[in-house]
């Protein structure tokens, strides 16, 4: 069996409201204002958003800052602060890392499929040895494709050779899970490593 993991929010911590309250406390003074700030900056990570273009490798961080600032009322320096703060925010989820190690120990293959800007991907590869555990993986910026668009799943099916092989995709975003199903993947929406472990139990017994 093959398992495909998302990175942000699954393998790595991703809590944008917490992040914004830490780095822009004068803008994100409480949960409500942090939520508004996140919505303005990230635009729900919609495939046509500024951040999605960044995730696809279409723009550099400085260009991103100058796109976001005028439409949000943030200064370019504030946006630069958010952009720079994300890599150290992406701390590994110990439970997910342990689960991946167990799956490998049982003889399963693990892969990753992540919407991730190139600079962040480079930093993760430099900083975390367990990325060597993956048989293969795709960072969106390196191929110019992005979830939930069909083309990135088509690329992943070919690259990971999942056609005809039972494959489970673990992601924290439901529309990504939904987009994976037509490509033959089962999906589990991530809430916690413990929840995913419980959901996997009947599959691993088949």
């Amino acid at each position: 069996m093959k398992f495909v993991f998302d990175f942000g929010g699954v393998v790595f911590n991703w809590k944008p409201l917490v992040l914004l309250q830490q780095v822009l406390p004068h803008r994100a003074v409480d949960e409500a204002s942090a939520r508004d700030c996140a919505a303005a900056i990230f635009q729900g990570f919609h495939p046509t958003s500024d951040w999605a273009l960044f995730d696809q490798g279409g723009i550099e961080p400085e260009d991103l800052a100058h796109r976001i600032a005028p439409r949000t009322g943030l200064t370019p320096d504030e946006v630069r602060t958010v952009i720079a703060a994300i890599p150290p925010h992406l701390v590994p989820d110990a439970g997910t890392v342990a689960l991946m190690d167990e799956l490998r120990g049982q003889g399963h293959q693990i892969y990753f499929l992540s919407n991730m800007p190139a600079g962040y991907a480079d930093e993760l590869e430099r900083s975390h040895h367990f990325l060597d555990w993956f048989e293969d993986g795709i960072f969106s910026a390196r191929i110019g494709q992005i979830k939930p668009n069909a083309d990135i799943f088509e690329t992943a099916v070919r690259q990971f050779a999942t056609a005809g092989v039972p494959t489970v995709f673990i992601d924290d975003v439901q529309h990504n899970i939904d987009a994976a199903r037509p490509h033959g993947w089962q999906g589990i929406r991530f809430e916690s490593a413990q929840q995913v472990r419980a959901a996997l139990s009947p599959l691993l017994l088949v």
Side-chain angles (χ1 to χ4, degrees):
M1 187 173 288
K2 298 188 177 190
F3 295 88
V4 182
F5 287 82
D6 176 38
F7 267 10
V10 178
V11 177
F12 294 93
N13 172 69
W14 173 239
K15 297 179 180 178
L17 304 189
V18 173
L19 172 70
L20 293 174
Q21 287 179 302
Q22 291 172 343
V23 303
L24 297 180
H26 55 294
R27 299 281 190 176
V29 297
D30 54 25
E31 184 172 340
S33 57
R35 194 174 301 279
D36 290 343
C37 192
I41 292 172
F42 302 116
Q43 298 174 294
F45 298 98
H46 189 275
T48 62
S49 68
D50 297 330
W51 206 278
L53 187 59
F54 183 43
D55 276 340
Q56 286 178 273
I59 53 174
E60 296 298 317
E62 187 63 18
D63 297 322
L64 178 66
H66 284 284
R67 279 174 172 260
I68 292 175
R71 66 171 176 74
T72 60
L74 299 172
T75 68
D77 279 345
E78 288 174 322
V79 181
R80 291 186 194 103
T81 296
V82 173
I83 294 169
I86 290 176
H89 175 76
L90 296 173
V91 176
D93 183 298
T96 304
V97 173
L99 174 61
M100 294 190 304
D101 196 25
E102 289 176 25
L103 290 172
R104 292 172 63 244
Q106 294 167 7
H108 303 291
Q109 295 179 324
I110 63 171
Y111 301 80
F112 67 83
L113 182 61
S114 174
N115 286 353
M116 189 73 65
Y120 296 177
D122 293 344
E123 179 62 26
L124 292 178
E125 288 177 330
R126 285 192 297 267
S127 303
H128 302 290
H129 75 278
F130 66 81
L131 267 64
D132 292 339
W133 296 352
F134 293 98
E135 299 288 331
D136 199 354
I138 292 173
F139 287 116
S140 58
R142 292 182 179 169
I143 63 169
Q145 298 171 348
I146 194 170
K147 297 178 293 182
N149 294 345
D151 56 357
I152 196 169
F153 290 101
E154 292 164 0
T155 297
V157 167
R158 290 193 303 271
Q159 188 167 318
F160 304 163
T162 66
V165 180
T167 301
V168 179
F169 178 46
I170 300 163
D171 196 292
D172 64 322
V173 177
Q174 186 60 47
H175 61 240
N176 292 338
I177 295 289
D178 295 339
R181 289 192 175 114
H183 301 277
W185 294 1
Q186 299 181 64
I188 297 174
R189 183 173 181 178
F190 182 92
E191 297 173 11
S192 69
Q194 182 178 7
Q195 163 259 335
V196 170
R197 187 188 300 275
L200 287 178
S201 292
L203 297 176
L204 297 175
L205 292 174
V206 174

